[in-house]
Amino acid sequence: MKKNERSNSLSRIMVALGGLGALLVVVLRVWIVPAQRDIDTGLFTSNMLVIGLMLALLAALGAVVFLMRDRSRREITGSPALVLSTVLLIVGGGMLLHGAVELLARFDIVTFYSVGQQWIGEEVPVVQLILPWVQTVLSIGGGVAFVLCGLNVASEGGTRRGISKLGLLVPVLWMWFVLANYMITYVSMVRITEGFFTVATYVMELLFLFRFASYMAGVGKHTVGSLLFFSCGAALFALSAPLVRLLMHLLQDTEAASAAGAAGPLDLAVGVLALTVSITLCQSLSASPVSAEAEESVDWSGSEEVEPVVELIEEVDSADLIDE
């Protein structure tokens, strides 16, 4: 019971670090970024204060995971599962809509080329033409995967091992192509300190989506702390980066919005999903102390493949007793 209570308390701390940390970062960046504009050049200086804060928050999340030491896998059930399935459906629908709009825009570009028009400036490399197409198609596939996963969670009444096999790998591939497209297109044009927020956001989203996909598929060993770390870390970056750009646009400071990074609506959607996963998992921990105690009695230090072997041994033993 004490170990379960400690896990519940530490999980709440991690959710607070992710959610409230993102809010703090948004306030600081909206306050600091406009003041960093150089009057002579119009460029923005480095934002080392906020970068240091976000790295410190990530380190704090890692420290809490170390203190938690909960090796069991927990399922999201009950009303938290209903919330998770709803968010999955909304995020999936948003990705489908966004992908469809982008796909129409890609076809407009093809039409632009087909009528013999030419781009102004240097010729666009082939890679920069192909990657956006792949990224758009994968975003549509990722939306379908999230919708199907949300329907599965709703029908099952919660998460379980193998509820989604390979479908959730599509959003992982989508985010990988988003990161690759940004690295090829923009990273050589901006300074490291300017591109930190965007690159860190994409990396944390990629890690979270991969961890979430493997958790839903039941592949590998999953602990409460590891899933909370990646979900809270992704929420910290994926919520703050798009909100800063949105607020800068609302303040009609487009230059500051451009300097704030390249995160967009889909990144905000992934951040909402990550925060939802962390909150619903935290709620499930508080709602099921009995199952938690039952899992604490299991030795999780070995491979997960031990369970089928144990079941087989028990069946053999029972058969021997019947023969006797």
Side-chain angles (χ1 to χ4, degrees):
M1 177 65 72
K2 291 182 179 179
K3 183 177 180 180
N4 187 73
E5 292 177 352
R6 184 181 66 179
S7 297
N8 294 341
S9 300
L10 292 177
S11 64
R12 295 190 186 97
I13 293 175
M14 295 185 71
V15 172
L17 287 173
L20 298 180
L23 180 61
L24 177 61
V25 169
V26 170
V27 173
L28 286 178
R29 292 188 68 189
V30 171
W31 174 50
I32 292 176
V33 170
Q36 292 180 324
R37 184 184 286 108
D38 191 309
I39 299 177
D40 297 327
T41 63
L43 299 176
F44 292 83
T45 58
S46 60
N47 202 347
M48 297 303 297
L49 175 63
V50 182
I51 292 176
L53 173 63
M54 300 187 82
L55 293 178
L57 289 172
L58 277 180
L61 287 173
V64 176
V65 171
F66 177 77
L67 293 174
M68 184 176 291
R69 296 182 179 179
D70 194 333
R71 297 183 177 182
S72 60
R73 173 191 169 98
R74 308 296 179 88
E75 304 295 348
I76 302 173
T77 57
S79 57
L82 179 60
V83 174
L84 177 60
S85 63
T86 303
V87 173
L88 282 168
L89 291 174
I90 294 174
V91 172
M95 288 186 67
L96 280 172
L97 179 61
H98 189 275
V101 172
E102 278 197 343
L103 193 61
L104 292 176
R106 305 294 177 203
F107 280 117
D108 288 340
I109 294 175
V110 173
T111 304
F112 184 80
Y113 270 111
S114 65
V115 297
Q117 302 293 333
Q118 297 294 329
W119 288 109
I120 299 175
E122 297 180 356
E123 184 179 354
V124 180
V126 176
V127 176
Q128 294 186 22
L129 292 176
I130 295 176
L131 282 181
W133 276 93
V134 178
Q135 177 182 323
T136 301
V137 173
L138 287 175
S139 68
I140 296 175
V144 174
F146 279 139
V147 169
L148 293 177
C149 182
L151 293 175
N152 289 337
V153 173
S155 62
E156 295 281 347
T159 61
R160 62 172 176 79
R161 296 177 189 269
I163 195 171
S164 178
K165 294 295 185 180
L166 299 175
L168 288 180
L169 286 179
V170 179
V172 178
L173 291 175
W174 162 72
M175 182 50 61
W176 188 90
F177 274 95
V178 170
L179 177 60
N181 189 28
Y182 179 80
M183 296 292 288
I184 293 174
T185 307
Y186 298 105
V187 78
S188 60
M189 304 179 185
V190 297
R191 291 177 298 178
I192 295 177
T193 52
E194 292 178 354
F196 168 81
F197 294 105
T198 302
V199 173
T201 298
Y202 290 159
V203 170
M204 289 305 302
E205 289 180 37
L206 178 63
L207 293 174
F208 160 69
L209 290 173
F210 180 77
R211 194 63 175 176
F212 182 65
S214 59
Y215 168 79
M216 298 298 281
V219 177
K221 186 175 181 179
H222 300 276
T223 63
V224 176
S226 63
L227 184 58
L228 282 173
F229 174 80
F230 289 111
S231 59
C232 292
L236 173 65
F237 283 90
L239 288 177
S240 60
L243 288 177
V244 170
R245 293 196 66 197
L246 175 62
L247 291 175
M248 290 300 181
H249 280 296
L250 293 177
L251 294 173
Q252 297 182 351
D253 194 343
T254 55
E255 293 181 354
S258 300
L266 291 187
D267 301 293
L268 181 62
V270 175
V272 171
L273 175 61
L275 185 62
T276 302
V277 170
S278 61
I279 292 175
T280 52
L281 184 59
C282 181
Q283 291 176 340
S284 296
L285 286 176
S286 303
S288 57
V290 176
S291 61
E293 288 179 357
E295 291 201 31
E296 286 177 10
S297 62
V298 181
D299 182 14
W300 295 90
S301 59
S303 171
E304 290 186 349
E305 297 180 356
V306 173
E307 292 185 58
V309 176
V310 173
E311 293 177 358
L312 180 61
I313 293 175
E314 291 177 351
E315 292 178 0
V316 173
D317 290 341
S318 61
D320 293 340
L321 291 175
I322 294 174
D323 294 338
E324 293 176 358

